[in-house]
Amino acid sequence: MPALPSWLTEPLWDQFAVLLPERPDYHPNHPLGCHRRRISDRIIFDKMLQLLRFGCSYEAIADTTCSATTIRSRRDEWIRQGVFARLKQIALEAYDRIVGLVLDQIAVDGSITKAPGGGEVAGRSPVDRGKQGLKRSGMTDGHGIPLGRVLAGANRHDSPLLAPTLDRLDDLGPLPDDVTVHLDAGYDSDKTRTLLNERGLHGRIAHKGEKAPIQASQRWHVERTHAWQNAFHRLARCYERRASVVDAFFDLADTIITVRSLIRRAWTTHRWDERPNRRP
C-alpha cells in the first residue's frame, strides 16, 4: 500500500533528489576496489514516507531492499545536511510564488500528542494522566499553510512558546504592514498583548470565560492544520527521542501538506503532465 499517491510522491522526490549531494554507488577508498552497492536514496525516501504516514517502527518497515540501520543512518545524514528543512522552505517559496501566502492573517496554537518514548522534547502530559507527551506550538497563514513550529514538553503552557513561534516569521522575508495574529483564550494576558505590540502585530485573542466558537475568527485554520499533521501517525504518537529527528519528520509532513494544498489550488488554473485526473 503506497504511503502517498504518485501525483504527490513524484514532485516531492524530484525536488528532494536535487538537494542531495552526488555520491558514488561504490566507496572509492575500499581496499579491494569493490564494495556492496550503496542503497538507492529513492528507496530510503519511500521508507521515510511510510514511517511518517503509518507510524510503524524502523524494524517493521525494513525489508530485503534496506535494513533499519541503513534507514536511520541515511536519515541522520540528511538531517546533518539540512535537506528536510530546505525542502520545506522550497515548498513554501513555490506556494507563495504560485498561489500566495496570506501573511496578514496569522494563527498560532498549541497541540499535545503522545510521546511514549520520552526524549528531548517530551514532558508529563496534563491531559494524559502524567504520561509522556509532546507539545508543538504551530503557526499557519490565513489558509492553514504551516509556517513553523516550536517543540516542547506537554507540560509547557502555550503562552511562553508564543515568542519563539513568532520568531519563525523572520525566515519568511518582508511581512505585510498590517499583520493580525489570531489566538485562543490561553493567550489572553497583558504579557501577550505587550509582546505583540513590541513586534508591531495586532492580536485577536479570545477572552477567558467567554464562549466563542472557533469559526468566529481565523483560528480554525491552525486547528485544521493540527488535524492534518496528526493524520501522520508518527507525529500523533511520537517514539523519536531526539529533537532534530522529530523536527525532520515535521518538516517532511509540512512539505507534504504545502505541496498537496498547492496542487489542489493550482488544479483549476494550471496544466502539467502529472496533473491528477480529478481535483485532490
Side-chain angles (χ1 to χ4, degrees), residues 22-78:
E22 292 188 7
R23 295 282 298 271
D25 289 340
Y26 298 95
H27 198 288
N29 298 327
H30 194 275
L32 300 179
C34 61
H35 197 267
R36 180 181 296 176
R37 183 185 294 271
R38 176 180 167 88
I39 302 297
S40 168
D41 288 328
R42 178 59 192 269
I43 292 177
I44 306 299
F45 179 76
D46 288 339
K47 295 294 185 184
M48 290 290 290
L49 293 180
Q50 294 172 29
L51 286 168
L52 175 65
R53 180 65 181 86
F54 303 131
C56 52
S57 67
Y58 291 90
E59 287 72 17
I61 207 66
D63 53 22
T64 56
T65 61
C66 66
S67 66
T69 301
T70 301
I71 299 174
R72 291 191 184 96
S73 62
R74 198 74 59 87
R75 174 206 67 191
D76 293 340
E77 177 184 329
W78 290 343

Short mmCIF file of all heavy atoms in Angstrom, two decimals, residues 22-78:
data_model
loop_
_atom_site.label_atom_id
_atom_site.label_comp_id
_atom_site.label_asym_id
_atom_site.label_seq_id
_atom_site.Cartn_x
_atom_site.Cartn_y
_atom_site.Cartn_z
N GLU A 22 25.88 14.43 -4.72
CA GLU A 22 26.18 13.25 -5.53
C GLU A 22 27.10 12.32 -4.76
O GLU A 22 28.09 12.74 -4.17
CB GLU A 22 26.82 13.68 -6.85
CG GLU A 22 25.88 14.43 -7.78
CD GLU A 22 26.49 14.67 -9.14
OE1 GLU A 22 27.59 14.14 -9.39
OE2 GLU A 22 25.88 15.39 -9.94
N ARG A 23 26.76 11.06 -4.75
CA ARG A 23 27.56 10.04 -4.08
C ARG A 23 27.77 8.87 -5.03
O ARG A 23 26.85 8.45 -5.73
CB ARG A 23 26.84 9.56 -2.82
CG ARG A 23 26.68 10.61 -1.73
CD ARG A 23 27.96 10.82 -0.96
NE ARG A 23 28.38 9.62 -0.28
CZ ARG A 23 27.99 9.29 0.96
NH1 ARG A 23 27.15 10.07 1.63
NH2 ARG A 23 28.42 8.17 1.53
N PRO A 24 28.98 8.29 -5.09
CA PRO A 24 29.21 7.13 -5.97
C PRO A 24 28.47 5.90 -5.45
O PRO A 24 28.22 5.76 -4.24
CB PRO A 24 30.73 6.94 -5.89
CG PRO A 24 31.13 7.55 -4.58
CD PRO A 24 30.19 8.70 -4.36
N ASP A 25 28.15 4.98 -6.35
CA ASP A 25 27.48 3.75 -5.95
C ASP A 25 28.38 2.87 -5.10
O ASP A 25 27.90 2.12 -4.24
CB ASP A 25 27.02 2.98 -7.19
CG ASP A 25 25.86 3.67 -7.90
OD1 ASP A 25 25.19 4.50 -7.25
OD2 ASP A 25 25.63 3.40 -9.09
N TYR A 26 29.69 2.95 -5.34
CA TYR A 26 30.64 2.16 -4.57
C TYR A 26 31.62 3.10 -3.87
O TYR A 26 31.96 4.16 -4.39
CB TYR A 26 31.42 1.20 -5.48
CG TYR A 26 30.56 0.19 -6.18
CD1 TYR A 26 30.08 0.43 -7.47
CD2 TYR A 26 30.20 -1.00 -5.55
CE1 TYR A 26 29.29 -0.50 -8.12
CE2 TYR A 26 29.40 -1.93 -6.20
CZ TYR A 26 28.95 -1.68 -7.47
OH TYR A 26 28.15 -2.59 -8.11
N HIS A 27 32.08 2.72 -2.69
CA HIS A 27 33.01 3.56 -1.94
C HIS A 27 34.37 3.57 -2.66
O HIS A 27 34.97 2.50 -2.90
CB HIS A 27 33.17 3.02 -0.52
CG HIS A 27 33.75 4.03 0.43
ND1 HIS A 27 35.07 4.42 0.38
CD2 HIS A 27 33.18 4.74 1.43
CE1 HIS A 27 35.30 5.31 1.31
NE2 HIS A 27 34.17 5.53 1.98
N PRO A 28 34.91 4.74 -3.01
CA PRO A 28 36.14 4.79 -3.81
C PRO A 28 37.38 4.36 -3.04
O PRO A 28 38.40 4.02 -3.67
CB PRO A 28 36.23 6.27 -4.21
CG PRO A 28 35.47 7.01 -3.14
CD PRO A 28 34.37 6.09 -2.72
N ASN A 29 37.35 4.33 -1.72
CA ASN A 29 38.54 4.01 -0.93
C ASN A 29 38.56 2.58 -0.40
O ASN A 29 39.35 2.26 0.49
CB ASN A 29 38.65 4.98 0.25
CG ASN A 29 38.80 6.43 -0.20
OD1 ASN A 29 39.42 6.69 -1.23
ND2 ASN A 29 38.24 7.36 0.57
N HIS A 30 37.70 1.75 -0.93
CA HIS A 30 37.68 0.36 -0.45
C HIS A 30 38.98 -0.33 -0.84
O HIS A 30 39.43 -0.22 -1.98
CB HIS A 30 36.48 -0.38 -1.05
CG HIS A 30 36.20 -1.68 -0.37
ND1 HIS A 30 36.84 -2.85 -0.69
CD2 HIS A 30 35.35 -1.99 0.65
CE1 HIS A 30 36.39 -3.84 0.06
NE2 HIS A 30 35.49 -3.34 0.89
N PRO A 31 39.63 -1.06 0.09
CA PRO A 31 40.96 -1.64 -0.20
C PRO A 31 40.97 -2.65 -1.33
O PRO A 31 41.99 -2.82 -2.00
CB PRO A 31 41.36 -2.28 1.14
CG PRO A 31 40.08 -2.47 1.88
CD PRO A 31 39.20 -1.34 1.47
N LEU A 32 39.84 -3.30 -1.58
CA LEU A 32 39.78 -4.30 -2.65
C LEU A 32 39.20 -3.73 -3.94
O LEU A 32 39.02 -4.46 -4.91
CB LEU A 32 38.95 -5.50 -2.19
CG LEU A 32 39.48 -6.24 -0.96
CD1 LEU A 32 38.55 -7.39 -0.59
CD2 LEU A 32 40.89 -6.76 -1.20
N GLY A 33 38.88 -2.44 -3.91
CA GLY A 33 38.34 -1.82 -5.11
C GLY A 33 36.90 -2.17 -5.39
O GLY A 33 36.39 -1.92 -6.48
N CYS A 34 36.23 -2.76 -4.42
CA CYS A 34 34.82 -3.11 -4.61
C CYS A 34 34.14 -3.03 -3.25
O CYS A 34 34.78 -2.98 -2.21
CB CYS A 34 34.68 -4.51 -5.20
SG CYS A 34 35.38 -5.79 -4.13
N HIS A 35 32.85 -3.02 -3.28
CA HIS A 35 32.09 -2.92 -2.04
C HIS A 35 30.64 -3.15 -2.39
O HIS A 35 30.24 -3.11 -3.56
CB HIS A 35 32.28 -1.54 -1.39
CG HIS A 35 31.87 -1.50 0.05
ND1 HIS A 35 30.62 -1.14 0.45
CD2 HIS A 35 32.55 -1.79 1.18
CE1 HIS A 35 30.53 -1.20 1.77
NE2 HIS A 35 31.69 -1.59 2.24
N ARG A 36 29.84 -3.39 -1.37
CA ARG A 36 28.41 -3.54 -1.61
C ARG A 36 27.85 -2.21 -2.13
O ARG A 36 28.17 -1.15 -1.63
CB ARG A 36 27.70 -3.92 -0.32
CG ARG A 36 26.19 -4.10 -0.48
CD ARG A 36 25.54 -4.46 0.83
NE ARG A 36 26.01 -5.75 1.32
CZ ARG A 36 25.64 -6.26 2.50
NH1 ARG A 36 24.82 -5.58 3.28
NH2 ARG A 36 26.10 -7.44 2.89
N ARG A 37 27.02 -2.29 -3.14
CA ARG A 37 26.45 -1.09 -3.75
C ARG A 37 25.64 -0.30 -2.72
O ARG A 37 24.92 -0.86 -1.91
CB ARG A 37 25.56 -1.47 -4.93
CG ARG A 37 24.97 -0.28 -5.69
CD ARG A 37 24.00 -0.75 -6.76
NE ARG A 37 24.69 -1.49 -7.78
CZ ARG A 37 25.24 -0.95 -8.88
NH1 ARG A 37 25.18 0.36 -9.04
NH2 ARG A 37 25.83 -1.70 -9.77
N ARG A 38 25.78 1.03 -2.77
CA ARG A 38 25.05 1.90 -1.86
C ARG A 38 23.55 1.80 -2.13
O ARG A 38 23.11 1.83 -3.30
CB ARG A 38 25.53 3.34 -2.04
CG ARG A 38 24.79 4.39 -1.23
CD ARG A 38 25.38 5.77 -1.51
NE ARG A 38 24.55 6.84 -1.01
CZ ARG A 38 24.61 7.35 0.21
NH1 ARG A 38 25.48 6.85 1.08
NH2 ARG A 38 23.83 8.35 0.58
N ILE A 39 22.76 1.69 -1.07
CA ILE A 39 21.30 1.63 -1.21
C ILE A 39 20.81 2.92 -1.86
O ILE A 39 21.23 4.02 -1.49
CB ILE A 39 20.63 1.40 0.15
CG1 ILE A 39 21.15 0.12 0.80
CG2 ILE A 39 19.12 1.35 0.01
CD1 ILE A 39 20.85 -1.13 0.03
N SER A 40 19.89 2.79 -2.80
CA SER A 40 19.37 3.96 -3.51
C SER A 40 18.69 4.93 -2.55
O SER A 40 17.95 4.53 -1.64
CB SER A 40 18.38 3.50 -4.58
OG SER A 40 17.66 4.59 -5.10
N ASP A 41 18.93 6.23 -2.78
CA ASP A 41 18.27 7.26 -1.97
C ASP A 41 16.76 7.21 -2.14
O ASP A 41 16.02 7.53 -1.21
CB ASP A 41 18.80 8.65 -2.36
CG ASP A 41 20.22 8.89 -1.89
OD1 ASP A 41 20.59 8.36 -0.83
OD2 ASP A 41 20.96 9.62 -2.57
N ARG A 42 16.30 6.82 -3.31
CA ARG A 42 14.86 6.77 -3.54
C ARG A 42 14.20 5.72 -2.64
O ARG A 42 13.09 5.93 -2.12
CB ARG A 42 14.56 6.47 -5.01
CG ARG A 42 13.06 6.33 -5.33
CD ARG A 42 12.33 7.63 -4.97
NE ARG A 42 10.90 7.51 -4.98
CZ ARG A 42 10.11 7.76 -6.04
NH1 ARG A 42 10.66 8.14 -7.18
NH2 ARG A 42 8.82 7.65 -5.98
N ILE A 43 14.87 4.60 -2.44
CA ILE A 43 14.32 3.57 -1.57
C ILE A 43 14.18 4.10 -0.14
O ILE A 43 13.14 3.93 0.52
CB ILE A 43 15.21 2.31 -1.59
CG1 ILE A 43 15.14 1.65 -2.98
CG2 ILE A 43 14.79 1.33 -0.51
CD1 ILE A 43 16.04 0.44 -3.13
N ILE A 44 15.22 4.79 0.35
CA ILE A 44 15.18 5.32 1.71
C ILE A 44 14.12 6.41 1.82
O ILE A 44 13.41 6.51 2.83
CB ILE A 44 16.56 5.89 2.11
CG1 ILE A 44 17.64 4.82 1.91
CG2 ILE A 44 16.53 6.35 3.56
CD1 ILE A 44 17.46 3.58 2.73
N PHE A 45 13.99 7.24 0.78
CA PHE A 45 12.97 8.29 0.80
C PHE A 45 11.57 7.69 0.90
O PHE A 45 10.74 8.17 1.69
CB PHE A 45 13.10 9.15 -0.46
CG PHE A 45 12.08 10.25 -0.55
CD1 PHE A 45 12.21 11.40 0.21
CD2 PHE A 45 10.99 10.15 -1.42
CE1 PHE A 45 11.27 12.43 0.13
CE2 PHE A 45 10.06 11.16 -1.51
CZ PHE A 45 10.20 12.31 -0.73
N ASP A 46 11.30 6.65 0.14
CA ASP A 46 10.00 6.00 0.21
C ASP A 46 9.76 5.39 1.60
O ASP A 46 8.64 5.42 2.13
CB ASP A 46 9.88 4.92 -0.85
CG ASP A 46 9.74 5.49 -2.25
OD1 ASP A 46 9.33 6.67 -2.37
OD2 ASP A 46 10.02 4.78 -3.24
N LYS A 47 10.82 4.84 2.20
CA LYS A 47 10.69 4.30 3.55
C LYS A 47 10.39 5.40 4.56
O LYS A 47 9.59 5.20 5.49
CB LYS A 47 11.97 3.56 3.95
CG LYS A 47 12.29 2.34 3.12
CD LYS A 47 11.26 1.24 3.32
CE LYS A 47 11.65 -0.03 2.59
NZ LYS A 47 10.60 -1.08 2.69
N MET A 48 11.00 6.57 4.39
CA MET A 48 10.73 7.69 5.29
C MET A 48 9.27 8.12 5.19
O MET A 48 8.63 8.46 6.20
CB MET A 48 11.65 8.85 4.96
CG MET A 48 13.11 8.62 5.31
SD MET A 48 13.41 8.59 7.09
CE MET A 48 13.13 10.31 7.50
N LEU A 49 8.72 8.15 3.98
CA LEU A 49 7.31 8.49 3.82
C LEU A 49 6.41 7.47 4.51
O LEU A 49 5.40 7.82 5.13
CB LEU A 49 6.96 8.58 2.33
CG LEU A 49 7.60 9.72 1.53
CD1 LEU A 49 7.15 9.66 0.07
CD2 LEU A 49 7.26 11.08 2.13
N GLN A 50 6.77 6.19 4.40
CA GLN A 50 5.98 5.16 5.05
C GLN A 50 6.07 5.27 6.57
O GLN A 50 5.06 5.10 7.28
CB GLN A 50 6.45 3.78 4.59
CG GLN A 50 6.20 3.50 3.12
CD GLN A 50 6.84 2.21 2.64
OE1 GLN A 50 7.01 1.27 3.41
NE2 GLN A 50 7.23 2.16 1.38
N LEU A 51 7.26 5.54 7.08
CA LEU A 51 7.42 5.73 8.52
C LEU A 51 6.56 6.89 9.01
O LEU A 51 5.90 6.80 10.04
CB LEU A 51 8.88 6.00 8.85
CG LEU A 51 9.84 4.82 8.77
CD1 LEU A 51 11.28 5.32 8.83
CD2 LEU A 51 9.58 3.83 9.90
N LEU A 52 6.58 7.99 8.26
CA LEU A 52 5.81 9.17 8.64
C LEU A 52 4.32 8.90 8.59
O LEU A 52 3.58 9.26 9.51
CB LEU A 52 6.17 10.33 7.71
CG LEU A 52 5.37 11.63 7.88
CD1 LEU A 52 5.64 12.26 9.25
CD2 LEU A 52 5.71 12.62 6.76
N ARG A 53 3.87 8.27 7.54
CA ARG A 53 2.43 8.08 7.34
C ARG A 53 1.85 7.02 8.25
O ARG A 53 0.78 7.21 8.84
CB ARG A 53 2.17 7.71 5.88
CG ARG A 53 0.70 7.49 5.52
CD ARG A 53 -0.10 8.77 5.67
NE ARG A 53 -1.50 8.55 5.37
CZ ARG A 53 -2.39 8.13 6.25
NH1 ARG A 53 -2.02 7.85 7.50
NH2 ARG A 53 -3.65 7.96 5.91
N PHE A 54 2.53 5.89 8.39
CA PHE A 54 1.95 4.77 9.13
C PHE A 54 2.41 4.70 10.57
O PHE A 54 1.77 4.01 11.39
CB PHE A 54 2.29 3.46 8.42
CG PHE A 54 1.83 3.41 6.99
CD1 PHE A 54 2.70 3.01 5.98
CD2 PHE A 54 0.55 3.78 6.63
CE1 PHE A 54 2.29 2.98 4.66
CE2 PHE A 54 0.12 3.75 5.32
CZ PHE A 54 1.00 3.35 4.32
N GLY A 55 3.51 5.36 10.93
CA GLY A 55 3.96 5.38 12.31
C GLY A 55 4.57 4.09 12.81
O GLY A 55 4.72 3.91 14.03
N CYS A 56 4.94 3.17 11.93
CA CYS A 56 5.50 1.89 12.34
C CYS A 56 6.97 2.05 12.75
O CYS A 56 7.57 3.10 12.56
CB CYS A 56 5.36 0.87 11.23
SG CYS A 56 6.03 1.44 9.65
N SER A 57 7.55 1.01 13.29
CA SER A 57 8.94 1.05 13.71
C SER A 57 9.86 0.87 12.51
O SER A 57 9.45 0.41 11.44
CB SER A 57 9.21 -0.05 14.74
OG SER A 57 9.09 -1.33 14.12
N TYR A 58 11.14 1.20 12.69
CA TYR A 58 12.12 1.02 11.62
C TYR A 58 12.29 -0.46 11.28
O TYR A 58 12.46 -0.82 10.11
CB TYR A 58 13.46 1.62 12.04
CG TYR A 58 13.45 3.12 12.15
CD1 TYR A 58 13.13 3.74 13.36
CD2 TYR A 58 13.75 3.92 11.05
CE1 TYR A 58 13.11 5.13 13.47
CE2 TYR A 58 13.74 5.31 11.16
CZ TYR A 58 13.42 5.90 12.37
OH TYR A 58 13.39 7.27 12.47
N GLU A 59 12.26 -1.30 12.30
CA GLU A 59 12.40 -2.73 12.05
C GLU A 59 11.22 -3.29 11.26
O GLU A 59 11.37 -4.19 10.44
CB GLU A 59 12.54 -3.48 13.38
CG GLU A 59 13.87 -3.30 14.08
CD GLU A 59 14.04 -1.91 14.69
OE1 GLU A 59 13.00 -1.20 14.87
OE2 GLU A 59 15.18 -1.52 14.98
N ALA A 60 10.02 -2.76 11.52
CA ALA A 60 8.84 -3.25 10.81
C ALA A 60 8.83 -2.84 9.35
O ALA A 60 8.30 -3.57 8.50
CB ALA A 60 7.57 -2.74 11.50
N ILE A 61 9.42 -1.68 9.04
CA ILE A 61 9.39 -1.19 7.66
C ILE A 61 10.58 -1.70 6.86
O ILE A 61 10.59 -1.64 5.62
CB ILE A 61 9.36 0.36 7.65
CG1 ILE A 61 8.68 0.89 6.38
CG2 ILE A 61 10.75 0.95 7.77
CD1 ILE A 61 7.21 0.55 6.29
N ALA A 62 11.62 -2.22 7.54
CA ALA A 62 12.80 -2.74 6.84
C ALA A 62 12.44 -4.03 6.10
O ALA A 62 11.58 -4.80 6.54
CB ALA A 62 13.93 -2.98 7.83
N ASP A 63 13.10 -4.27 4.97
CA ASP A 63 12.88 -5.49 4.20
C ASP A 63 14.17 -5.82 3.46
O ASP A 63 15.25 -5.36 3.85
CB ASP A 63 11.69 -5.32 3.24
CG ASP A 63 11.82 -4.09 2.35
OD1 ASP A 63 12.95 -3.60 2.16
OD2 ASP A 63 10.79 -3.59 1.85
N THR A 64 14.07 -6.60 2.40
CA THR A 64 15.27 -7.02 1.67
C THR A 64 15.94 -5.86 0.93
O THR A 64 17.10 -5.98 0.54
CB THR A 64 14.91 -8.12 0.66
OG1 THR A 64 13.87 -7.65 -0.22
CG2 THR A 64 14.42 -9.37 1.38
N THR A 65 15.24 -4.76 0.72
CA THR A 65 15.83 -3.64 0.00
C THR A 65 16.76 -2.81 0.87
O THR A 65 17.73 -2.22 0.38
CB THR A 65 14.74 -2.73 -0.58
OG1 THR A 65 13.93 -2.20 0.51
CG2 THR A 65 13.84 -3.50 -1.54
N CYS A 66 16.48 -2.72 2.17
CA CYS A 66 17.34 -1.97 3.08
C CYS A 66 17.01 -2.35 4.52
O CYS A 66 15.91 -2.80 4.81
CB CYS A 66 17.20 -0.46 2.88
SG CYS A 66 15.58 0.18 3.31
N SER A 67 17.99 -2.16 5.39
CA SER A 67 17.82 -2.51 6.80
C SER A 67 17.37 -1.29 7.60
O SER A 67 17.44 -0.15 7.13
CB SER A 67 19.14 -3.04 7.36
OG SER A 67 20.11 -2.01 7.37
N ALA A 68 16.96 -1.54 8.83
CA ALA A 68 16.58 -0.45 9.72
C ALA A 68 17.77 0.45 10.03
O ALA A 68 17.63 1.67 10.14
CB ALA A 68 15.99 -1.02 11.01
N THR A 69 18.95 -0.13 10.16
CA THR A 69 20.15 0.66 10.43
C THR A 69 20.46 1.60 9.27
O THR A 69 20.85 2.76 9.49
CB THR A 69 21.34 -0.28 10.68
OG1 THR A 69 21.06 -1.13 11.79
CG2 THR A 69 22.60 0.52 10.98
N THR A 70 20.27 1.12 8.05
CA THR A 70 20.52 1.97 6.88
C THR A 70 19.54 3.14 6.85
O THR A 70 19.92 4.27 6.53
CB THR A 70 20.40 1.15 5.59
OG1 THR A 70 21.34 0.07 5.62
CG2 THR A 70 20.65 2.01 4.36
N ILE A 71 18.28 2.89 7.18
CA ILE A 71 17.29 3.97 7.18
C ILE A 71 17.68 5.02 8.21
O ILE A 71 17.64 6.22 7.93
CB ILE A 71 15.88 3.41 7.49
CG1 ILE A 71 15.46 2.39 6.42
CG2 ILE A 71 14.87 4.54 7.56
CD1 ILE A 71 14.16 1.69 6.73
N ARG A 72 18.07 4.60 9.40
CA ARG A 72 18.45 5.55 10.45
C ARG A 72 19.70 6.34 10.06
O ARG A 72 19.75 7.57 10.26
CB ARG A 72 18.68 4.81 11.76
CG ARG A 72 17.44 4.23 12.41
CD ARG A 72 17.76 3.78 13.82
NE ARG A 72 16.63 3.13 14.46
CZ ARG A 72 16.44 1.80 14.50
NH1 ARG A 72 17.33 1.01 13.93
NH2 ARG A 72 15.38 1.28 15.10
N SER A 73 20.70 5.67 9.54
CA SER A 73 21.94 6.37 9.20
C SER A 73 21.74 7.36 8.06
O SER A 73 22.27 8.48 8.09
CB SER A 73 23.03 5.36 8.83
OG SER A 73 22.66 4.59 7.70
N ARG A 74 20.95 6.98 7.05
CA ARG A 74 20.69 7.90 5.94
C ARG A 74 19.81 9.07 6.41
O ARG A 74 20.02 10.21 5.99
CB ARG A 74 20.01 7.15 4.79
CG ARG A 74 20.06 7.86 3.44
CD ARG A 74 21.45 7.80 2.84
NE ARG A 74 21.87 6.42 2.66
CZ ARG A 74 21.59 5.68 1.57
NH1 ARG A 74 20.92 6.21 0.57
NH2 ARG A 74 22.03 4.43 1.49
N ARG A 75 18.87 8.79 7.29
CA ARG A 75 18.05 9.86 7.87
C ARG A 75 18.92 10.87 8.60
O ARG A 75 18.79 12.09 8.39
CB ARG A 75 17.05 9.23 8.84
CG ARG A 75 16.21 10.21 9.66
CD ARG A 75 15.77 9.56 10.96
NE ARG A 75 16.89 9.30 11.85
CZ ARG A 75 16.81 8.55 12.95
NH1 ARG A 75 15.66 7.99 13.28
NH2 ARG A 75 17.89 8.37 13.72
N ASP A 76 19.85 10.39 9.43
CA ASP A 76 20.73 11.30 10.16
C ASP A 76 21.65 12.07 9.22
O ASP A 76 21.96 13.24 9.45
CB ASP A 76 21.56 10.51 11.17
CG ASP A 76 20.72 9.92 12.29
OD1 ASP A 76 19.60 10.42 12.50
OD2 ASP A 76 21.18 8.98 12.96
N GLU A 77 22.08 11.43 8.15
CA GLU A 77 22.93 12.11 7.16
C GLU A 77 22.17 13.25 6.51
O GLU A 77 22.70 14.36 6.36
CB GLU A 77 23.38 11.10 6.11
CG GLU A 77 24.19 11.67 4.98
CD GLU A 77 24.52 10.63 3.93
OE1 GLU A 77 24.67 9.44 4.30
OE2 GLU A 77 24.61 10.98 2.73
N TRP A 78 20.93 13.02 6.16
CA TRP A 78 20.11 14.07 5.52
C TRP A 78 19.80 15.19 6.51
O TRP A 78 19.73 16.35 6.12
CB TRP A 78 18.83 13.45 4.98
CG TRP A 78 19.07 12.55 3.79
CD1 TRP A 78 20.19 12.51 3.02
CD2 TRP A 78 18.17 11.57 3.27
NE1 TRP A 78 20.04 11.56 2.03
CE2 TRP A 78 18.82 10.96 2.16
CE3 TRP A 78 16.90 11.13 3.62
CZ2 TRP A 78 18.22 9.95 1.41
CZ3 TRP A 78 16.30 10.12 2.88
CH2 TRP A 78 16.95 9.54 1.79
#
